[in-house]
Amino acid sequence: MLLSTKREEQRGAAESSLLHLIARFEATGSAVEVNFRQLMSSDGSTNKSAHAIHPYPAKLLVNIPQFFLAALPTVSGSALLDPFCGSGTVLYEGMLAGLRPIGSDSNPLARLITTAKLTPLDRAIARRHLDEVMAAYPSASPNIPDVVNRDYWFSERISDCLGRLKTAIQRNVPAPYRPVFDVSFSATARRVSYADPRLSVPVKINPDRSARYGAKGDEVIRRLVRLGEVDVGALFWSIASQNIQRCPELGQLFAVDRPEIFSDARSLGVAEASVDLAITSPPYVGAQKYVRASSLSLGWLGLTPDCKLRPIERQSIGREHLAADEALTSSGTGIPEADALLEEIVERNPLRARIAQRYLLEMRDALSELSRTMRHDGNLVLVVGPNLVAGLEFPTPFFLQRIAEGLGFSTKLHLLDSIASRGLMTKRNRTAGLIQQESVFLLKRVRTGA
Ligand SMILES: C[S@@+](CC[C@H](N)C(=O)[O-])C[C@H]1O[C@@H](n2cnc3c(N)ncnc32)[C@H](O)[C@@H]1O
C-alpha cells in the first residue's frame, strides 16, 4: 500500500515535470538542460536489483527510463520496445511498470543478460539447482571451450575450474533456470581473468606498470596475487546466490512468459503498428567496442562460433571494421549537413568517413524498422550523445533526429543531460571524443506508412 502510494506520487510529479519541460521547449525552441538524477531520484537500490547481475558497457542511466515510464501514459500489458537493449535496463524497468518487454541486440551476451533479468524464477528451486551444481563441480570433467588467447587471460588452474563449473551447470540446470546461471558463470570468468577490472575492454594487468595505475595501483596488483589462490567455485556460488536474489521472483508482479529478444534492430519479428512506447540508447559511431568488451564471456559461454568475434561484430551498428565492399557511397546519407561534414572528414581520414557514413545508413534502417513497428501516436524516447570523428564534432543527436523526422516522427521535446562517464567513451587516437552531454528526445509517431 505504502509502495503504491509512493509510486502514484512519483508518477504525478513526473507527469507535471514532463508537461513543464515540454512547455519550456515549445516556448524557446531549444533543448532544455536537465539532470535526470535529480528529476527522478532513484531509491538507491540499483545494486541490489537485477541491473547488477552482470557488468555491461555504456549502460543507460536507470533514472531516464524510470522518469519516462512514470511520466508518459501507459496501458498495463502494452508493448515496450528497446531495439538496442544492451543489458536490458529499459526492459527490466518497463516490466516492473507492468509493460510487455520486447528487445533486440546484436551482442549475444547482451541478449543473455536481458533474458536473465526478465525471466522470473522460483528462487527456492534455483537455490536447489545451485546446490546441485556445487556438489557436482569438484568431480566434474572440465569442458573448456575455445576462448580467444585463453592462456593469456587465464591460468591453467583457473581454466580447469571454469571448465568443471561449465560442465556442472550444463548437467544440472534445466533450460528455464540457465540464463541466471550462465550470467553468473560469465561474471565469474571475468572476475578470475587477468583483465584489469576497471576497464570494460579486456587489458591485461601488468605488474611492471603498477605506477601507471595511479592511486589504485596497489589494489590492482593485490588482485593479481589473489588470483593465484582464488577459490573459483566459492566465488561462483557467491555471485550466483546474489543473482538469484536479484532476479524477479515467479508469481510476483511479472507477467512475462518468455521475453521476446531479437538479434538485429533492423529486422524485428514484431507486427506493424503494435508497439506503444519505445525507449532506447543506440550505439555510437566509432566509439564502442561492445563485442571486444564481451570477448572473454562470449568465449566461455560458447557464444562465438569457431572462436570468432567478426561475425558478431559485422552485425553491430557503429562498428570500426568494415568489409571491403562497404565503401563510401556517392549517393550520400540523405542529410545534407551530414554529407557536407563527411566530405570534410574524408579529407582527414577516409576510413573514419566510411565508418561514420555506414553508421548513419544503418541507423536509418534501424529507425525505419522502429517506425514500422510503432502505432500512430506512440512515443519514442531516444538517448544519444555527440562525439568527435577525426577531430571534428559529429552531431549524432541532430542527425538521428533528422532521420527520425523523415520517417514519420515529430519532436515533442529535446533535453540535454550531463553525463559523468560512459564505460566505452575513451579518447582514442584523437579520433573519437569524450561524450559530455547527452541528448534525450521525446518523439511522437505521427504518420503511419512513412
Ligand atoms: C548504448 S548500448 C545500449 C545499452 C543499454 N541501454 C543498457 O542499459 O545496457 C547500444 C547497444 O546496441 C547494440 N547494437 C549494435 N548494433 C545493433 C544491431 N544491429 N541491432 C541491435 N543491437 C545492436 C550493441 O550491442 C549495444 O548493446
Side-chain angles (χ1 to χ4, degrees), residues 52-53 121 180 183-184 238-247:
I53 62 172
L121 303 173
V180 68
V183 156
S184 306
S238 147
I239 292 175
S241 305
Q242 286 183 59
N243 282 348
I244 288 169
Q245 206 53 37
R246 286 167 173 148
C247 279

Side-chain angles (χ1 to χ4, degrees), residues 291-360:
V291 180
R292 269 180 56 205
S294 313
S295 59
L296 302 180
S297 295
L298 290 169
W300 274 105
L301 290 164
L303 294 173
T304 43
D306 305 326
C307 198
K308 293 205 169 61
L309 297 175
R310 278 294 160 89
I312 301 175
E313 206 184 289
R314 227 171 278 137
Q315 270 209 325
S316 305
I317 298 177
R319 67 190 168 284
E320 302 203 321
H321 298 114
L322 296 183
D325 61 351
E326 294 174 316
L328 214 54
T329 74
S330 53
S331 49
T333 62
I335 312 164
E337 294 88 340
D339 292 336
L341 181 56
L342 286 166
E343 272 178 30
E344 272 188 74
I345 296 173
V346 89
E347 293 296 314
R348 295 180 174 215
N349 187 331
L351 174 63
R352 292 281 138 201
R354 277 172 65 204
I355 291 170
Q357 191 195 54
R358 177 69 35 192
Y359 169 82
L360 290 176

Side-chain angles (χ1 to χ4, degrees), residues 56 58-60 83-87 89 104-107 263-266 281-283 290 315-317 422:
Y56 196 74
K59 277 187 187 178
L60 184 62
F84 299 102
C85 66
S87 63
T89 310
S104 82
D105 203 287
S106 53
N107 183 343
S263 60
D264 193 339
R266 291 162 291 180
S281 56
Y290 299 102
Q315 270 209 325
S316 305
I317 298 177
R422 294 278 297 261

Side-chain angles (χ1 to χ4, degrees), residues 156-167:
E156 208 176 310
R157 179 185 77 83
I158 284 183
S159 282
D160 179 72
C161 294
L162 288 172
R164 280 187 285 123
L165 257 181
K166 193 170 163 69
T167 304

